[in-house]
Amino acid sequence: MLKRAARPETVGLFATCLVNTMRPRVGFAALKLLEEAGFTVEVPREQTCCGQPNYNSGDRKSAKEMALRFLELYERFDYVVVPSGSCGAMIRVHYPALFAEDDPRHERMKTLAARTYELVSFLADVAKVELAPARTAQSVTYHDACSGLRELKVKAQPRALMRQKNLEVKEMEDAEVCCGFGGLFCVKYPDVSGEMVRRKGDAIKASEAEIMATGDVGCLLNMEGALARRGERDIKALHIAELLADMTD
């Protein structure tokens, strides 16, 4: 069982576009982990994209509109939790910068940003959960997705939680190197992106782990697809939430 929070607090779970459309099980795994930690969790049905693609492509006007919509939906919660380092970083790091300091919404956005966490960081640093051992002992290699690592400092937390699960962590070479997804990067520079994920696939294979896990669905899908194309069907690709919630089948 997870260690329950001292008192019930509310969490607004932001599902993200890729979780919603490509890997819904990640959202259910995040919900399971948060509820078992003792939080009251809601998933606002009206949520939309966080605006990161717009922001990264220079469309700050649309990104700002999406940020305001996010503020309207999530300001009422004690915490906002996101099973994605990139979307979490968009909210926590970049949302406040969309508004001038003399704009009254700037402080509101700063307050919301400070209450927003990437899922694994929230479980380890805020909820301080204690996880039961996994039902099946397996080996895992972990890819440090760029935004979670560089903007949110998520590095030790997933490894600490995997150790709580009694999983064998087999570090891959260059675990901190980008897999080549990078959102719009893989669209603009497909050849460079393809070579990056090919090298990442080599590192995953060389680790001899049974599972490859990461904290961003975009990176997960990119590496899972690369492994499948090279015939590596024996390596299971999972989001860290699926792994921690024992939703690995």
Side-chain angles (χ1 to χ4, degrees), residues 24-41:
R25 189 173 65 175
V26 173
F28 288 107
L31 179 66
K32 178 176 183 285
L33 289 164
L34 292 167
E35 288 186 335
E36 289 183 352
F39 295 91
T40 299
V41 186

Side-chain angles (χ1 to χ4, degrees), residues 75-248:
E75 193 173 23
R76 62 189 174 91
F77 296 105
D78 293 320
Y79 301 101
V80 179
V81 176
V82 192
S84 162
S86 58
C87 298
M90 179 65 198
I91 300 159
R92 189 174 176 95
V93 178
H94 301 293
Y95 268 13
L98 288 169
F99 300 87
E101 292 190 4
D102 60 353
D103 187 324
R105 296 170 297 185
H106 178 77
E107 285 301 319
R108 291 173 61 197
M109 200 63 77
K110 280 181 63 178
T111 300
L112 179 65
R115 298 202 305 265
T116 299
Y117 293 86
E118 182 271 343
L119 173 67
V120 173
S121 174
F122 182 79
L123 294 173
D125 301 331
V126 179
K128 300 188 185 302
V129 297
E130 296 176 0
L131 298 169
R135 291 191 296 265
T136 305
Q138 292 179 299
S139 58
V140 184
T141 191
Y142 191 82
H143 165 70
D144 296 293
C146 295
S147 293
L149 174 68
R150 292 169 176 82
E151 294 185 294
L152 301 179
K153 311 304 179 189
V154 177
K155 173 70 175 180
Q157 299 95 325
R159 291 164 173 82
L161 293 178
M162 286 189 289
R163 286 195 294 270
Q164 286 188 23
K165 300 291 292 182
N166 286 346
L167 296 166
E168 180 187 3
V169 180
K170 294 185 173 182
E171 296 288 356
M172 72 175 83
E173 184 179 359
D174 294 330
E176 296 185 356
V177 173
C178 179
C179 72
F181 176 65
L184 296 176
F185 176 84
C186 64
V187 177
K188 292 183 176 181
Y189 307 103
D191 293 339
V192 177
S193 173
E195 177 61 17
M196 292 172 75
V197 76
R198 185 194 67 76
R199 294 185 183 185
K200 184 61 69 170
D202 290 343
I204 294 168
K205 179 66 175 178
S207 74
E208 299 183 344
E210 299 167 271
I211 296 170
M212 184 284 299
T214 189
D216 261 291
V217 172
C219 303
L220 174 67
L221 295 174
N222 188 38
M223 293 182 288
E224 184 178 45
L227 290 170
R229 288 191 295 274
R230 58 194 282 168
E232 304 290 355
R233 304 288 180 179
D234 56 332
I235 303 173
K236 186 178 292 186
L238 295 172
H239 189 280
I240 186 68
E242 297 172 294
L243 190 62
L244 298 180
D246 290 313
M247 295 172 64
T248 59

